Amino acid sequence: ATPTALMVGTGRSAKLGILIKNGEALEAANKVKTVVFDKTGTITVGKPKVTDVIGDERTVLSVAASLEKSSEHPLASAILERAKSNGLSFAEATDFQAIEGKGVQAMVDGKLAFVGNDKLLQDHKLGAQLSKQMTALQTEAKTVVIVGLDDQVIGLIAIQDAPKPSSMSAIAQLKQRGLRTVMLTGDNKLVAEAIAKQVGIDDVIADVLPGDKADHVKALQASGPVAFVGDGINDAPALTTADVGIAMGSGTDIAIESGGIVLVKNNLEDVVQALALSEKTFSRIK
Ligand code: ADP
Ligand code: MG
């Protein structure tokens, strides 16, 4: 690639809101066989909302909110927003701990409280009825967190984050180009599959712990160069491991730093634009 041609390509793309931070990323984009997407904030809008509360709503929400006020997770904001709009006051929580890929826990009124997924349950039991309700909600593409207090599960909170309007057509265009599309997420399999179905993604890898995303990218690289598209702190290693790391402009600073390409408009159709630009730039130089 000649420097001049690269400048033309990247200058034009910057106007469209596609920032190319390095020429290698652009060149590699041309050879990609698989496009891997994070779910929350990448395929979905990233503004989750509480839709259902199972159990005593006041107690479940106020316990959950007293823990989540110390968390920066998007699910935490959804729970806080709902608790506030219900006018609930939160109990004092101490010894707060965030458990990566699982949830949060703290002491509330001298009792151990937790909010998170079933990986956090350990000795606790969900019970047949709650399990059934949880599965039903997850099948509706809702992320469900379990709220526990003092050795007991006290309820469930279902949280929904809709796909971006652009996600479906972006995936369709990538598939038209003959590319394989994969979703890689820390969320539950049922939820991930429901969202994947809504937007047309072929394959789902779910229940992935944050530290394992990069390893999954490496495994996918066995069938050719991989582009990874993400926004979160936990996406940074995958963004640097991939042949082309594409970060959402709305993403965390570390994701933006780790991506070779940044999509300022957060629109997944710009992934297609970036690939097209790479094709044009590098066929013109040849
Ligand atoms: P991703 O960003 O790919 O959705 P995360 O690793 O951030 O995945 O989270 C995975 C799962 O861990 C969430 O779907 C949720 O079940 C649980 N979790 C993580 N943080 C929290 C939190 N603050 N409150 C409740 N659940 C949480
Ligand atoms: Mg995300």
Side-chain angles (χ1 to χ4, degrees), residues 133 138 147 160-161 212 222 263:
Q133 284 172 299
Q138 288 169 334
V147 184
Q160 193 166 36
D161 188 16
D212 295 343
L263 305 183

Side-chain angles (χ1 to χ4, degrees), residues 11-20 249 261-267 270:
R12 196 178 297 152
S13 69
K15 277 195 204 116
L16 302 169
I18 301 170
L19 302 186
I20 316 276
I261 297 176
V262 181
L263 305 183
V264 176
K265 293 183 289 180
N266 310 304
N267 183 325
D270 287 341

Side-chain angles (χ1 to χ4, degrees), residues 217-238:
V217 168
K218 269 184 219 149
L220 290 163
Q221 282 170 327
S223 3
V226 168
F228 179 84
V229 194
D231 74 325
I233 299 171
N234 59 352
D235 295 324

Side-chain angles (χ1 to χ4, degrees), residues 38 40 68 71 73 75-76 101-104 115-117 143 145 185-187 210 213 234:
D38 160 58
T40 311
E68 297 286 19
S71 165
H73 202 276
L75 296 175
K102 298 181 184 175
V104 292
V115 188
N117 57 36
T143 298
V145 293
T185 177
D187 205 346
K213 279 197 176 184
N234 59 352

Side-chain angles (χ1 to χ4, degrees), residues 47-92:
K47 295 252 181 314
K49 294 247 176 332
V50 170
T51 54
D52 310 75
V53 180
I54 313 254
D56 180 62
E57 179 158 347
R58 291 186 67 86
T59 317
V60 170
L61 279 175
S62 71
V63 168
S66 66
L67 269 64
E68 297 286 19
K69 69 172 190 280
S70 308
S71 165
E72 278 163 21
H73 202 276
L75 296 175
S77 327
I79 290 170
L80 285 178
E81 198 172 292
R82 176 64 171 261
K84 279 181 194 152
S85 76
N86 284 18
L88 298 174
S89 56
F90 319 154
E92 197 63 44

Side-chain angles (χ1 to χ4, degrees), residues 142-217:
K142 294 169 183 170
T143 298
V144 181
V145 293
I146 303 161
V147 184
L149 184 64
D150 205 19
D151 275 335
Q152 278 208 327
V153 171
I154 60 167
L156 305 176
I157 303 176
I159 299 156
Q160 193 166 36
D161 188 16
K164 292 173 186 170
S166 59
S167 295
M168 199 174 157
S169 80
I171 304 293
Q173 290 175 64
L174 292 172
K175 284 162 78 169
Q176 216 161 31
R177 287 179 158 260
L179 300 174
R180 179 184 176 200
T181 56
V182 179
M183 179 192 288
L184 188 55
T185 177
D187 205 346
N188 167 276
K189 192 165 200 286
L190 289 176
V191 183
E193 279 173 351
I195 300 271
K197 202 170 157 198
Q198 286 176 12
V199 300
I201 287 200
D202 302 322
D203 300 304
V204 171
I205 307 173
D207 291 308
V208 179
L209 288 174
D212 295 343
K213 279 197 176 184
D215 285 339
H216 284 284
V217 168

